[in-house]
Amino acid sequence: MWHFGCFEAKHYWRCEDCLADPAERLTPEAERQVYLDHENDPHDPGYRRFLSKLADPLCERLSEPADILDYGCGPGPALAQMLREAGHRVTLYDPFFHADETKLVGGYDAITCTEVVEHLHDPASEFERLGGLLRPGGWLAIMTCFQTEDARFANWHYRRDPTHVVFYRAETLEFLAARHGWRCEIPVKDLALIQVP
């Protein structure tokens, strides 16, 4: 891990292996308050279009009905509603809003992490745990804004959200998958579909 930079008094580091960029963190109370300010209305057509970037390619890979864990669903689980409308069974988990640890048991056909992994304080452990919750052949569907050129990092809008503490490149998620013997697809920018054998 090496120091990547300091922007607006916030320090960033880069992992030499996976190229992830961790940053400093808020207190849990301050982090929860930021999430309460998000507008994630499941009836908003624009938000549903945004979420369909993950929902559509994931549903193409699943048999109906699949058991899906919406990990980090937030206070208004719009993606869960869309997946239920597509015929799937969806379980909710969020450490701030749906913190029932009994939902974190194995047996899921897919786990969705939509705009979630950038909030993880210990991503290596979390990815390992999520992989262990999937049935053989299951999918970990991750949507996060991929970091691109370093020269644009200081002005990148995604970096300015104080709850975003780790930034990923497509190569980061490919590295993660290869490390665990998983298969990674990047069907479009900002989306990784990782299959556990």
Side-chain angles (χ1 to χ4, degrees), residues 1 99 152:
M1 192 76 71
R152 299 173 63 187

Side-chain angles (χ1 to χ4, degrees), residues 63-140:
S63 300
E64 271 184 44
D67 292 308
I68 301 173
L69 174 64
D70 187 358
Y71 186 84
C73 60
L79 179 63
Q81 181 174 323
M82 292 170 63
L83 293 169
R84 287 178 180 133
E85 290 166 3
H88 302 293
R89 295 180 293 265
V90 183
T91 299
L92 304 178
Y93 177 78
D94 186 284
F96 293 100
F97 304 103
H98 299 274
D100 183 354
E101 296 276 332
T102 65
K103 305 301 183 190
L104 300 179
V105 295
Y108 293 104
D109 299 303
I111 299 173
T112 60
C113 296
T114 308
E115 297 292 311
V116 170
V117 297
E118 63 275 10
H119 303 275
L120 299 178
H121 291 190
D122 185 2
S125 296
E126 288 298 314
F127 284 123
E128 193 163 321
R129 173 163 71 160
L130 294 174
L133 298 178
L134 288 167
R135 292 180 177 135
W139 292 92
L140 177 57

Side-chain angles (χ1 to χ4, degrees), residues 35-52 73-82 85:
Y35 301 145
L36 287 171
D37 292 337
H38 288 182
E39 293 182 25
N40 300 332
D41 181 358
H43 304 292
D44 176 358
Y47 189 52
R48 289 176 71 94
R49 269 192 309 279
F50 171 73
L51 294 175
S52 69
C73 60
L79 179 63
Q81 181 174 323
M82 292 170 63
E85 290 166 3

Side-chain angles (χ1 to χ4, degrees), residues 17-18 170-185 193-197:
D17 294 325
C18 72
E171 296 88 350
T172 308
L173 297 169
E174 290 166 343
F175 174 89
L176 168 81
R179 180 177 179 187
H180 290 283
W182 303 339
R183 187 171 66 86
C184 181
E185 300 176 29
L193 296 174
I194 298 173
Q195 190 173 33
V196 174

